[in-house]
């Protein structure tokens, strides 16, 4: 079975930083993109960032551009999300996912077929 396991969440004050990791294991994870999504209580799941596995092109939600950086280490089958200048509105459960979205629709979560269990990020003001 394919497993995606997130780590690195936690509680920080506004302006702080966190680095999330997503490790893929099990059967070969066939996918064109990997992404980070988040969901706050009472809100819809939203795409935060994604990366094209083969070409390395990255995509970001407007709300995190310039603050978050997505990267990958293919040798380790691991994806990262470096989050800087965190704001209280970044508070959410963060999930990593793998799938086959079209580039222009990288944030459409229905195109991702493998999901991690989530890691909580809490930013206090």
């Amino acid at each position: 079975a394919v497993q995606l396991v997130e780590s690195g969440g936690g509680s920080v004050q506004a302006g702080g930083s966190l680095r999330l990791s997503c490790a893929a294991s099990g059967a070969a994870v066939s996918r064109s993109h990997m992404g980070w999504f988040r969901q706050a209580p009472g809100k819809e799941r939203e795409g935060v960032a994604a990366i094209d596995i083969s070409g390395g092109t990255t995509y970001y939600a407007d709300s995190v551009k310039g603050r978050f950086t997505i990267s990958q280490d293919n040798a380790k089958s691991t994806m990262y999300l470096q989050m800087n200048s965190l704001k209280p509105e970044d508070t959410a459960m963060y999930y990593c996912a793998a799938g086959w979205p079209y580039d222009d629709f990288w944030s459409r979560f229905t195109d991702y077929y493998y999901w991690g269990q989530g890691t909580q990020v809490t930013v206090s003001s």
Side-chain angles (χ1 to χ4, degrees):
V2 172
Q3 281 191 318
L4 299 178
V5 180
E6 303 99 334
S7 61
S11 297
V12 295
Q13 290 190 327
S17 298
L18 285 172
R19 187 194 196 203
L20 305 184
S21 299
C22 173
S25 63
V29 182
S30 174
R31 74 287 191 197
S32 64
H33 293 68
M34 290 194 72
W36 288 98
F37 291 77
R38 66 186 181 187
Q39 188 165 20
K43 295 188 177 181
E44 293 186 352
R45 186 169 299 192
E46 64 171 343
V48 176
I51 187 166
D52 178 319
I53 298 299
S54 58
T57 303
T58 57
Y59 309 88
Y60 296 95
D62 288 342
S63 59
V64 306
K65 280 181 182 177
R67 300 189 298 123
F68 291 11
T69 303
I70 188 171
S71 62
Q72 60 179 345
D73 183 337
N74 288 335
K76 297 181 180 180
S77 298
T78 302
M79 177 179 65
Y80 305 96
L81 185 68
Q82 178 66 43
M83 305 185 295
N84 298 328
S85 302
L86 282 161
K87 304 176 181 180
E89 51 263 44
D90 294 318
T91 295
M93 185 72 78
Y94 283 70
Y95 300 90
C96 73
W100 299 266
Y102 289 106
D103 290 344
D104 289 346
F105 300 99
W106 65 267
S107 62
R108 192 162 63 185
F109 68 86
T110 52
D111 289 337
Y112 291 79
Y113 296 91
Y114 300 106
W115 291 85
Q117 83 288 349
T119 186
Q120 178 68 36
V121 172
T122 302
V123 185
S124 58
S125 57

